[in-house]
Amino acid sequence: MAGLLTSIQAYAQVGVGTSTPNSILDVNGKTTLRKELRVGGTSSQVGNAGLNGQVLVSQGQNLPPVWKSLNVSFIEEGQYKLVNSYLSSDQAGITNLSSSNAADGIYKNNIGDDITDLTKGRWVKISGLKNVFTVKDSRNKLTYQFQTGAEMKAPTATEPQNINFACGVFRNNKLVAVRPDKISSTDSSGKGGFQDYIFTLNYTEQNVPAGEQTVEVACRKISSSNSGSQFTIGKNISNSNNISNAFTLESMMKIDIIEYVSYN
């Protein structure tokens, strides 16, 4: 009788919600735990209940699961999460804004301006910063971070010079962000007539329609105090000077896609 009882205790299977259990404990239905869940115990030692915030991770067949700490935060429904980032750079820049190309004289732009509409300015694209991607959820935030170097060379180094210009972000050829700026010098004779400047544009666009998006960066020359001034964006004017090079004036564009979290 003792041997029979031992056999029953060793091989008995308990089914909850099922008459044909497939393991020692087979629960067919919802489970409610009122206290901690302990894993990895033995006949002489209780299992590990884990620490606050840890998750249970499987180790595979015939091995007990273990508690693990995650290095990422949990994101609840209704929050936003970063789903993708795009980083591009360009050293070719824009070199056709110098003395032989007149400024367009247009000081104002509006969101939605078409890049091909010359009445809105003569925009020139920075070709290496083009990004094509797909937005999956129309509840989103697109963050643009653009930085480039601008360089001017005055015809007369000792005389004051300035050039007004603007750079903008275009999505599907429509303007979504723009910033006008100015590069100027009073006496650049110590640098051979050259003057460098760093331009930065940061902007967040919200609720971009779902679907494929093409994002590009373009700049234009608005005005110049001297029509003979040389001017470049994202590239040095001359490789023979000791002031700058294509690397120091390189253009950079970073796009972060942040979308709404939904588990429906």
Side-chain angles (χ1 to χ4, degrees), residues 12-254:
Q13 293 181 326
V14 176
V16 179
T18 177
S19 59
T20 57
N22 292 316
S23 58
I24 294 176
L25 176 61
D26 189 342
V27 178
N28 180 23
K30 297 180 180 180
T31 302
T32 300
L33 293 177
R34 298 181 182 272
K35 293 287 182 78
E36 70 271 12
L37 174 63
R38 294 180 175 271
V39 296
T42 66
S43 58
S44 59
Q45 186 176 4
V46 297
N48 182 6
L51 300 175
N52 184 30
Q54 289 187 316
V55 297
L56 202 58
V57 178
S58 172
Q59 297 190 97
Q61 189 173 359
N62 296 325
L63 293 173
V66 292
W67 294 105
K68 293 285 187 180
S69 297
L70 294 181
N71 293 324
V72 296
S73 59
F74 290 101
I75 301 177
E76 298 180 0
E77 184 166 2
Q79 295 180 324
Y80 286 82
K81 69 173 180 178
L82 177 67
V83 297
N84 221 329
S85 290
Y86 297 87
L87 179 63
S88 53
S89 62
D90 178 278
Q91 293 188 9
I94 301 174
T95 58
N96 57 349
L97 298 176
S98 290
S99 55
S100 59
N101 293 274
D104 59 31
I106 298 172
Y107 286 86
K108 184 178 179 180
N109 281 110
N110 295 299
I111 297 299
D113 286 351
D114 194 293
I115 196 171
T116 62
D117 186 352
L118 296 181
T119 66
K120 306 299 183 181
R122 290 195 292 269
W123 294 98
V124 181
K125 296 179 181 179
I126 302 178
S127 58
L129 301 186
K130 180 178 180 180
N131 285 277
V132 180
F133 53 85
T134 299
V135 171
K136 296 182 179 180
D137 194 318
S138 59
R139 297 167 295 180
N140 57 64
K141 299 177 183 180
L142 268 61
T143 299
Y144 309 113
Q145 300 176 63
F146 167 64
Q147 187 173 79
T148 189
E151 186 168 81
M152 176 182 68
K153 186 176 189 298
T156 305
T158 56
E159 295 182 0
Q161 307 287 332
N162 66 78
I163 292 177
N164 290 286
F165 66 99
C167 292
V169 177
F170 291 81
R171 181 174 53 78
N172 300 335
N173 286 330
K174 301 295 183 181
L175 184 67
V176 297
V178 65
R179 180 189 162 206
D181 212 328
K182 179 171 69 174
I183 181 172
S184 60
S185 66
T186 54
D187 184 347
S188 55
S189 56
K191 297 187 291 184
F194 290 94
Q195 181 67 42
D196 292 340
Y197 181 76
I198 298 299
F199 174 92
T200 302
L201 171 60
N202 296 314
Y203 186 76
T204 298
E205 188 181 15
Q206 298 190 57
N207 301 327
V208 172
E212 186 176 275
Q213 308 292 335
T214 299
V215 173
E216 298 174 278
V217 176
C219 302
R220 60 186 181 89
K221 183 167 69 171
I222 299 173
S223 65
S224 177
S225 62
N226 190 314
S227 60
S229 296
Q230 298 182 61
F231 180 54
T232 57
I233 294 177
K235 185 175 174 60
N236 53 319
I237 292 173
S238 171
N239 289 326
S240 61
N241 73 73
N242 296 320
I243 305 302
S244 63
N245 54 37
F247 174 72
T248 60
L249 299 175
E250 179 180 33
S251 300
M252 304 286 291
M253 177 66 165
K254 185 174 184 288

